[in-house]
Amino acid sequence: MKARYNIAPTQPIAAVRANENSGNRELAIFSWGLVPFWAKEPSIAHQLLNARSETAAVKPAFRGPMRHHRCLIPADGFYEWKAIGGQKQPYYIRRPDHEPFYFAGLFDHWGSPDGSEIESATILTTAANDFMTPIHKRMPVIIPESQYDRWLDPKVQQPAKLADLLRPAPEDFFIRKPVTPLVNSVRNDMPECIMPTVEPPSPPNQLGFGF
């Protein structure tokens, strides 16, 4: 599979899920942005790129997938932006050892009257830890390796039994580096997107929060 450096909404993403028949893990390709099975139009995906873990068990778009359609979305980094002097500085966030990790994901299957089908996924988020707070108030949920089986287990259908997994990553799990603004354009999908750069200084009295 070709390496990606700047995946945009509705583009394909890889994910691991449990096979509905055997229960074995399998790799699947989803469109990023959930299209619930009951949606009238697939354009709803742009509104459902992420799912708040605190309410996913009760929201109409996510409560079914939380029970039956959970997945693990692999990555070796992600971007977040911080407002500095009226501009947004992108940061590349990864593990210190460069190893991959897995976002907590949900997926669904949508079919239109004309017969077309879409398998799509969303990433669960939670409140930011202290590491992430200077950049953003939210962060993706990371499932630890020891809990992969529990997260994917189709027999676990009560979200309350998974609530302990929907928490921020440990404070030392990630590091961040400011990167070039190449990532600000979805047309750029190249290794240069994660090239470190010098962080611009914050203006006086600026807190520097992304939102």
Side-chain angles (χ1 to χ4, degrees):
M1 184 177 295
K2 180 182 177 181
R4 298 293 310 278
Y5 298 90
N6 191 12
I7 299 175
T10 73
Q11 290 184 348
I13 56 173
V16 178
R17 65 180 175 187
N19 182 279
E20 292 186 358
N21 296 317
S22 67
N24 295 330
R25 294 181 188 177
E26 64 180 16
L27 184 68
I29 302 298
F30 297 107
S31 174
W32 181 22
L34 196 74
V35 183
F37 75 92
W38 44 259
K40 294 182 178 180
E41 296 290 340
S43 58
I44 194 175
H46 289 277
Q47 304 173 39
L48 302 176
L49 302 174
N50 300 319
R52 294 178 67 92
S53 60
E54 298 90 340
T55 57
V58 297
K59 291 291 185 180
F62 308 128
R63 62 191 179 197
M66 270 296 296
R67 290 179 176 272
H68 308 291
H69 290 161
R70 297 183 300 273
C71 62
L72 293 166
I73 299 173
D76 54 14
F78 64 97
Y79 300 104
E80 196 52 80
W81 285 259
K82 175 182 177 181
I84 300 178
Q87 298 182 344
K88 288 193 173 182
Q89 168 63 51
Y91 286 81
Y92 181 60
I93 298 165
R94 61 168 175 82
R95 289 179 57 173
D97 56 9
H98 294 270
E99 288 297 309
F101 51 89
Y102 286 83
F103 298 127
L106 307 174
F107 69 93
D108 212 342
H109 181 93
W110 178 84
S112 74
D114 65 9
S116 60
E117 299 179 337
I118 297 175
E119 284 208 304
S120 60
T122 187
I123 297 171
L124 286 160
T125 67
T126 187
N129 59 15
D130 289 343
F131 164 83
M132 185 65 69
T133 297
I135 301 177
H136 202 285
K137 62 184 178 182
R138 306 286 298 176
M139 69 183 301
V141 174
I142 309 299
I143 300 297
E145 185 175 359
S146 62
Q147 299 300 321
Y148 291 169
D149 287 340
R150 181 155 68 106
W151 179 253
L152 294 176
D153 190 348
K155 296 189 296 293
V156 179
Q157 299 182 5
Q158 297 178 356
K161 293 184 176 181
L162 301 166
D164 62 300
L165 301 179
L166 306 179
R167 61 180 186 268
E171 298 293 342
D172 60 352
F173 191 82
F174 288 123
I175 63 172
R176 61 177 179 260
K177 299 289 184 181
V179 293
T180 73
L182 284 172
V183 70
N184 293 341
S185 172
V186 299
R187 294 189 298 271
N188 297 324
D189 186 7
M190 60 196 75
E192 288 80 4
C193 287
I194 62 174
M195 183 178 297
T197 188
V198 177
E199 182 177 17
S202 297
N205 300 322
Q206 168 136 353
L207 294 177
F209 288 88
F211 289 85

